[in-house]
Amino acid sequence: MSETSNAYRTVVVGTDGSESSLRAVARAGALAGACGATLVIACAYLPTEADDRELARAQDLLGDEAYQVVGSHPAEDTVRTAAERAGAAGATRVKTVAVQGSPVETLLDVVRREDADLLVVGNRGLAGIKGRLLGSVPADATRRSECDVLVVHTTG
């Protein structure tokens, strides 16, 4: 088996637009660029036409961070910004997707659809009430992924 056959071909990374997640995007971009892999940047969002009570609850709990998870337009802006960061880090083939759904389910679905062989997530988990609402993306993705997972240290 040649060395290049061991290289990653498709890398998926998730982002919510936070600086922490953009650090993971940059690391994924550098890795994808070095491997000659396609980088798929995914952002999950809640539909704006979701149940009004559910949406209000999420916005109350998330406060200023609510923009990161509600509506497709902010999600599309988020992946566009992330693609620029990934390109600056070395990625040459970048695809972006904004997908309605929960973060972990969305990432795992994108991994399957793109036949990815690496999933990159930041280590920043959500604690407290936010974590119970949205779940810990790094922990859940690592446990449930069917491909390799790289957890990037993005805090501190």
Side-chain angles (χ1 to χ4, degrees):
M1 193 182 276
S2 73
E3 191 173 311
T4 55
S5 67
N6 290 327
Y8 294 112
R9 296 175 320 275
T10 304
V11 177
V12 171
V13 63
T15 184
D16 62 5
S18 66
E19 186 55 38
S20 174
S21 74
L22 290 174
R23 288 186 198 114
V25 167
R27 184 69 54 91
L31 181 64
C35 292
T38 297
L39 178 65
V40 181
I41 302 171
C43 180
Y45 66 90
L46 296 175
T48 52
E49 58 276 348
D51 178 293
D52 289 339
R53 285 173 292 164
E54 181 182 328
L55 193 56
R57 181 172 164 257
Q59 289 174 322
D60 285 345
L61 291 172
L62 295 174
D64 291 342
E65 296 174 15
Y67 76 92
Q68 297 170 348
V69 295
V70 179
S72 64
H73 189 68
E76 290 163 4
D77 290 343
T78 296
V79 293
R80 201 170 13 261
T81 299
E84 292 169 5
R85 181 79 65 104
T92 56
R93 292 193 316 261
V94 179
K95 179 177 178 182
T96 60
V97 292
V99 182
Q100 180 179 313
S102 68
V104 173
E105 294 305 323
T106 294
L107 284 175
L108 296 176
D109 184 53
V110 171
V111 164
R112 280 188 292 274
R113 279 189 292 146
E114 298 292 334
D115 195 26
D117 39 18
L118 179 65
L119 171 61
V120 178
V121 294
N123 72 326
R124 178 179 172 243
L126 294 173
I129 193 85
K130 291 178 186 179
R132 286 194 295 278
L133 174 69
L134 298 176
S136 171
V137 173
D140 291 350
T142 301
R143 186 177 64 253
R144 295 178 51 202
S145 179
E146 294 178 9
C147 69
D148 290 354
V149 178
L150 172 63
V151 179
V152 177
H153 184 73
T154 60
T155 57

